[in-house]
Amino acid sequence: MTAPPVARRSWIDVAGLAGRPLSVRVLTATVAAAALILAVLGALLPVDRPADRPLTPLAGAALAAAVVAAGQLARLRFRLGRGVVSVSWGEAAFIIGFVVAPPGWLPAVTLAGAVAAWALLAWWESLRNVAEVVHLAASLSLGAAGAAVVAGAIAGGAPVLGARMVTALVAGALTYLVLTFGLATLTLALHRDAPAAQILVRASYAKVPMVVGNVIVGLAAVVALVENPLWLLAFPPALWLLQRTYRFHLRAEEERRLWEAFAAATATLPGGTEIEVVEAGLRAALDVFGARRVEIEVRGRDGERRYAQDGPGQDNAVAGLPGPAITRSMAVDGDLVGELTVWLSEPTLPVPRDESAISAFGDALAGALHDAAARERVAELSGQVAYETRHDRLTGLLDRPTLLAEGDQLLRSFDRRRHVALLLLDINDFREVNGTLGHRHGDELLRLVADRLTELTRDGEMLARTGDDEFALLVPRVVPLIDSSAPADVPLSDSMPLALRRARELVEELGRPMEVSSVRLAVEVAAGVTVAPAGRADVAELVRRASLALQEAKRQEVTVAAFDAGQDAVTTDGLALLAELKEALAADDQIVLHLQPAVDLITAAPTGVEALVRWQHPRRGRLSPDEFIAKVEHTELHTAFTRRVLDLALDAAGRWHAAGVDVPVSVNVPARSLLDPSFPAQVRDALRRHHAPASRLVLEITESVAVSEERIVDDVLAELRGAGVQLSLDDFGTGYSSLAIVTRAPVDEIKIDRSFVDDMIESPAAGAVVRGAVELGARLGVRVVAEGVETTEQRAALIELGCPTAQGYHFCRPMPADRIVQSLTQLSEAAPANIRPLRADDAS
């Protein structure tokens, strides 16, 4: 049987330098070399002993070495960061040694005494760190060398008990303190055991009181040696009392610091996740206990987890873990949370205060970990509940309410003109699967279908289970399956074919065989498809339309069918429109006017303003009259709506008249208004409310209404003219009998339809219609306004034909009411002074 190989250790491991920072290694080597050199040089100096020295050089050197060793053996230690600082009787040993031994020998004597003392301590406490012993002994030797130089320079040949010698001894002791204290501080700072400021403050607090006693004891011992050595017999009790006093002082300060740090650390334990609590606990334990290493083992429902952190400046993987380890179980109300293990840097057995503090810290950490676990469990349950309330439990897909709610949010984030599609897919004859294989296997089939659909779903699309065997796919980008890089804004004429193609591709993929309970099945799927602009329908309406298309696919026994608006005369938007219009009339900011001036063709001076009504819908955006006027005309809201439009128009006209622009406002009159005998009274009431003359208002009517056979129309028009309100014939040339209208219902203005203005440059026929309308207006003495003028060529052609007034984008686009006054004022001021706008009075 072969013996296991013995691991070979490097000289760095043997010397105890493993795991120590490079800067500390360099400092150790430098201090040791300097101490050795000074010890050798000092020993070679000539011995010049004054006659009053109490002992011979060799006896004095032996006594000095013994005193140095005794002073180090009686050291007191306190924890500083992750290091341990020793305070000893070194100053007293120096004072005695300077008197009894040759000063030049003190570095060597101190080095020998310190090495002997620390070697004995290392053996007694089972420590094998040679580097620390050498570093400490060399630091004391350097302190003694510096102190001997200072004291020797001051004392000269002064007698032992003279004032000059006392001064020299005190100065030497202080020099010894500064040098040894400075080297210790530098070592700890390089070792990163604690911040430099903390080292200076705490070490000074511990060391200064002992230095005073050391100096007094040293001087007293020198007096006893010179006067009567028997007096030294009284020193042990006094030294014992001083030692106890120093120990109590350090112990009280250490405990105060420990519990202050403990309170600060436990108060900052976070109320977050387990990782956050553990990380904070590791940092706090390292700081509070000055530990070399801290380990936390957490036991939870999902097993055990171990966390650890080493103190800075220590490579524990190389140097091992010297020092005692304290392990404490962490529990809350008898429930085990984990274990806390702290490796202390103090190379002695744990003292009760450390055990008590670590136990208390473990209790606080256990409470924080228990709370973190409880919070994580609550968050997990809350997330599970939130997930289950949004998802179908069987398939994990979104459920119907979530699709409707989140789908509407998605649609509102799009441009309202962007086309979206909704595909509704249903498994044909699903009941036969349940009846043949059982509901459990039917559920398995649904999960397989859901998984396959999930694989086919693209980014941004929403997939949901909306029924027993029904699935919905909201497609925000209507593009082919094989071309996901295609643009999202596809024209309406192309959207439906692309959506149908996508549906057929999905149906084909779902039709591939799948295995359910060892039975290979190939299901048939039908799909209904609808496409609409994002601003025209909500998801509920899209689902309803797709459902109608799905029914049609099943009726025709085809796989895919598209929604046909002809099959559905009423939509949810239509049903909701009246209720939403009531809310709009109750609000102040939904029914608005956009105003477009009509101008003199030559001077561009304003001659009138047309009021164009808009509905600022909160969900669907701005709606034009074509999208809601027809609904309004056939409901009881007609009167309130007309009143609102007249109020808005006359209010706007009042503002520009107040600004000095004297032009009327034109308002389109719905067909139902001319069939309402009370309409003239409504107009007169509106004029009275706004203190406006009747000439300020122009009512635009269409030819088809004006030539109606209804007698009431003639009466309403006559009453309006009798009240002084101007009438305008809108869209002239497109109605039933344009010439008959001007004789049956005299008007003040004719507006040539924009279709003729658009074509007049290239179409002689359209140009003839425009010329005829201009000539007719001139002969009848009414204003003529050409609508839809957009180019300079159209303006020039109209001027050539003698048309006096025009309206269109070429001059001014429709604008909100709060901007019209400025535009009218600018047009008026820019027009030549000798040209004035046409009015109804000027046409007679």
Side-chain angles (χ1 to χ4, degrees), residues 811-826:
F811 306 102
C812 191
R813 291 176 175 270
M815 65 187 68
D818 57 355
R819 293 171 48 195
I820 190 64
V821 174
Q822 180 182 359
S823 297
L824 291 175
T825 302
Q826 292 175 349

Side-chain angles (χ1 to χ4, degrees), residues 525-580:
V525 177
V529 180
T530 185
V531 175
R536 292 292 184 88
D538 54 25
V539 177
E541 172 62 13
L542 295 177
V543 171
R544 192 188 65 80
R545 295 178 185 179
S547 180
L548 293 176
L550 178 61
Q551 294 175 16
E552 185 65 17
K554 289 180 174 292
R555 188 184 67 81
Q556 296 182 6
E557 297 184 352
V558 296
T559 56
V560 179
F563 170 74
D564 184 359
Q567 303 170 359
D568 181 29
V570 181
T571 66
T572 57
D573 279 345
L575 293 174
L577 187 65
L578 295 181
E580 293 173 341

Side-chain angles (χ1 to χ4, degrees), residues 362-381:
D363 292 339
L365 186 57
L369 288 172
H370 185 271
D371 292 344
R375 282 190 296 272
E376 290 180 359
R377 180 59 177 162
V378 170
E380 179 183 339
L381 293 175

Side-chain angles (χ1 to χ4, degrees), residues 359-419:
S359 296
F361 185 82
D363 292 339
L365 186 57
L369 288 172
H370 185 271
D371 292 344
R375 282 190 296 272
E376 290 180 359
R377 180 59 177 162
V378 170
E380 179 183 339
L381 293 175
S382 299
Q384 182 178 349
V385 171
Y387 180 88
E388 291 179 353
T389 57
R390 297 177 59 252
H391 292 79
D392 173 58
R393 292 190 177 185
L394 177 63
T395 62
L397 302 179
L398 296 178
D399 57 16
R400 185 186 184 95
T402 304
L403 173 68
L404 300 182
E406 297 185 5
D408 284 341
Q409 293 179 3
L410 184 64
L411 294 187
R412 284 193 290 269
S413 68
F414 296 151
D415 186 299
R416 60 188 302 267
R417 295 167 297 180
R418 178 177 180 173
H419 298 119

Side-chain angles (χ1 to χ4, degrees), residues 364-626:
L365 186 57
L369 288 172
H370 185 271
D371 292 344
R375 282 190 296 272
E376 290 180 359
R377 180 59 177 162
V378 170
E380 179 183 339
L381 293 175
S382 299
Q384 182 178 349
V385 171
Y387 180 88
E388 291 179 353
T389 57
R390 297 177 59 252
H391 292 79
D392 173 58
R393 292 190 177 185
L394 177 63
T395 62
L397 302 179
L398 296 178
D399 57 16
R400 185 186 184 95
T402 304
L403 173 68
L404 300 182
E406 297 185 5
D408 284 341
Q409 293 179 3
L410 184 64
L411 294 187
R412 284 193 290 269
S413 68
F414 296 151
D415 186 299
R416 60 188 302 267
R417 295 167 297 180
R418 178 177 180 173
H419 298 119
V420 298
L422 190 130
L423 283 56
L424 202 63
L425 301 105
D426 182 83
I427 303 174
N428 293 331
D429 301 323
F430 179 69
R431 290 184 177 180
E432 293 186 7
V433 176
N434 278 336
T436 303
L437 300 178
H439 288 279
R440 183 169 62 87
H441 302 299
D443 290 345
E444 183 180 349
L445 173 62
L446 291 175
R447 284 191 290 267
L448 291 173
V449 171
D451 292 342
R452 192 167 291 183
L453 280 173
T454 301
E455 294 175 357
L456 299 172
T457 301
R458 306 175 195 164
D459 291 340
E461 297 180 342
M462 298 182 67
L463 177 64
R465 183 188 179 199
T466 54
D468 289 341
D469 59 341
E470 184 180 86
F471 302 86
L473 182 66
L474 180 62
V475 182
R477 300 182 71 239
V478 187
V479 294
L481 181 63
I482 60 174
D483 186 13
S484 60
S485 63
D489 296 329
V490 181
L492 180 61
S493 58
D494 298 334
S495 296
M496 181 58 80
L498 290 174
L500 291 172
R501 179 178 176 181
R502 176 75 191 283
R504 293 189 183 98
E505 291 167 343
L506 294 178
V507 168
E508 181 179 350
E509 289 294 322
L510 292 176
R512 290 190 294 107
M514 60 185 70
E515 190 170 309
V516 179
S517 300
S518 302
V519 177
R520 193 170 178 81
L521 297 179
V523 298
E524 293 183 355
V525 177
V529 180
T530 185
V531 175
R536 292 292 184 88
D538 54 25
V539 177
E541 172 62 13
L542 295 177
V543 171
R544 192 188 65 80
R545 295 178 185 179
S547 180
L548 293 176
L550 178 61
Q551 294 175 16
E552 185 65 17
K554 289 180 174 292
R555 188 184 67 81
Q556 296 182 6
E557 297 184 352
V558 296
T559 56
V560 179
F563 170 74
D564 184 359
Q567 303 170 359
D568 181 29
V570 181
T571 66
T572 57
D573 279 345
L575 293 174
L577 187 65
L578 295 181
E580 293 173 341
L581 186 58
K582 288 182 180 180
E583 296 175 356
L585 291 173
D588 296 330
D589 57 350
Q590 292 194 32
I591 304 300
V592 297
L593 292 184
H594 280 208
L595 301 156
Q596 185 178 33
V599 300
D600 186 283
L601 269 171
I602 298 176
T603 67
T607 61
V609 179
E610 182 177 4
L612 306 170
V613 67
R614 300 287 187 268
W615 182 0
Q616 195 65 41
H617 196 284
R619 178 176 58 86
R620 299 167 59 187
R622 185 179 301 163
L623 302 181
S624 65
D626 294 340

